[in-house]
Amino acid sequence: MKNNSKATKHTGIFKHKEDRWPVTIILMLTLLDFVLYFTLENTTLLIGYYLLMIIPKGVICAWNHHHQHLFTFRSDALNRGLEFFYALHTGVTTNLWRLHHVLGHHVNFLDQEKDESRWQRKDGSKMGVIGYTLEVAVTAYPRGYSVGKRFPKQLKPFMTYLAPTFLIVALLVWFNPVAGFFLFALPMITSLLFTAYVTYDHHSGLSTENEFEASYNNLNRVFNFLTGNLGYHTAHHHRQGVHWSKLPALHATIADKIPEHLYMRSLFSHR
């Protein structure tokens, strides 16, 4: 049984076989973006496609998040390539979430004076969702860099790939301004804001030192299918190194420790 378990985690170039379909779909969407970039000249259609893809690209942010916790491929080169494509969809470049989220938020989410995604104002009051969204999005890169100063090995890839990523995006916009803007530049901004917006519901209003009472959990099946079980949020914080596919099983072991009012089942919100 032990050998079979290991075999399920190491299939080909992927560390976990469960990542094959999500990554394939995301790369196909990337290919579609580039096909449209080189072939579509109708501004109205480009705007329509941008609007249509706001939610799908927002969902991709969840998979970028999973990748920052546990790299998808065995190969560093493939991981860096995937991160570039993730950045085009999400506005989050190599290692930003590893610094801001993995080494920042997950360490400090119980301390609102330090939390990189803090929902509490300095006076102790709860931010509104708009204020939280803007603050977390605008400060994402500075806060990520600040965390990185304590983790130079993680900061180096962030700094190495930051400028080339934005340079390529700038060249895409320069070469084909309208398509480059609506297919790449604007979605990056929108998705970063979308990411901040949806994370407001993860912890806001839960001021506690008990990790089992500090997160809302969304048990909606569709939500967890689309986001890779991100709704099992207490389990994710309990053991952030667990692969997304194993979160339901981990949740089952701690479910009795989570207060009933922290269980939600709606698709679009935890509240």
Side-chain angles (χ1 to χ4, degrees):
M1 289 295 294
K2 188 175 182 179
N3 289 336
N4 289 338
S5 177
K6 288 184 178 180
T8 63
K9 292 184 179 180
H10 302 289
T11 304
I13 61 176
F14 289 89
K15 289 185 175 182
H16 296 264
K17 68 177 184 179
E18 293 87 353
D19 287 320
R20 291 179 297 181
W21 276 111
V23 169
T24 298
I25 293 170
I26 291 166
L27 291 179
M28 291 298 292
L29 288 175
T30 305
L31 177 62
L32 176 60
D33 284 350
F34 277 99
V35 169
L36 294 177
Y37 176 81
F38 287 108
T39 61
L40 186 59
E41 298 181 358
N42 187 301
T43 301
T44 301
L45 290 179
L46 285 168
I47 295 173
Y49 178 77
Y50 158 74
L51 294 173
L52 181 67
M53 293 300 292
I54 287 176
I55 299 300
K57 293 199 176 200
V59 170
I60 292 174
C61 296
W63 298 95
N64 187 18
H65 157 271
H66 294 318
H67 172 80
Q68 293 295 309
H69 276 282
L70 292 171
F71 290 140
T72 304
F73 298 111
R74 298 185 190 181
S75 163
D76 286 342
L78 290 178
N79 286 323
R80 298 296 87 81
L82 180 62
E83 287 155 10
F84 169 71
F85 295 126
Y86 272 141
L88 295 181
H89 293 299
T90 70
V92 174
T93 58
T94 293
N95 271 29
L96 173 57
W97 277 167
R98 178 157 281 241
L99 295 170
H100 182 286
H101 181 78
V102 178
L103 298 173
H105 169 66
H106 270 266
V107 176
N108 298 318
F109 77 106
L110 296 177
D111 185 346
Q112 285 303 290
E113 291 185 1
K114 298 179 180 179
D115 186 7
E116 282 70 19
S117 296
R118 47 188 169 269
W119 51 265
Q120 200 173 74
R121 299 187 182 94
K122 290 183 178 180
D123 64 5
S125 61
K126 184 174 74 170
M127 292 183 186
V129 63
I130 300 302
Y132 170 90
T133 298
L134 293 174
E135 178 170 322
V136 172
V138 169
T139 63
Y141 280 86
R143 288 179 180 176
Y145 176 77
S146 179
V147 174
K149 289 189 289 186
R150 305 195 305 271
F151 300 94
K153 288 185 178 180
Q154 301 297 329
L155 180 63
K156 184 177 179 181
F158 170 67
M159 298 303 296
T160 299
Y161 294 98
L162 179 65
T165 299
F166 283 108
L167 177 59
I168 292 172
V169 174
L171 289 173
L172 288 169
V173 175
W174 175 80
F175 182 77
N176 189 343
V178 176
F181 178 71
F182 284 109
L183 291 171
F184 301 112
L186 187 57
M188 292 173 72
I189 297 170
T190 304
S191 291
L192 184 57
L193 288 166
F194 183 91
T195 300
Y197 174 80
V198 297
T199 60
Y200 179 78
D201 275 338
H202 290 171
H203 308 284
S204 62
L206 300 177
S207 184
T208 176
E209 295 181 0
N210 185 337
E211 64 168 308
F212 299 109
E213 299 178 0
S215 304
Y216 287 97
N217 295 270
N218 190 333
L219 303 188
N220 183 277
R221 291 185 178 182
V222 176
F223 178 86
N224 285 299
F225 174 77
L226 292 174
T227 65
N229 295 321
L230 199 56
Y232 296 94
H233 213 71
T234 300
H236 174 56
H237 273 274
H238 180 56
R239 290 180 57 191
Q240 66 163 312
V242 171
H243 189 257
W244 62 266
S245 63
K246 307 298 189 296
L247 288 175
L250 176 60
H251 172 83
T253 68
I254 62 172
D256 61 330
K257 299 179 181 180
I258 303 172
E260 185 62 29
H261 71 277
L262 298 182
Y263 286 106
M264 307 296 168
R265 291 174 172 80
S266 60
L267 175 58
F268 297 108
S269 174
H270 293 178
R271 309 296 175 85

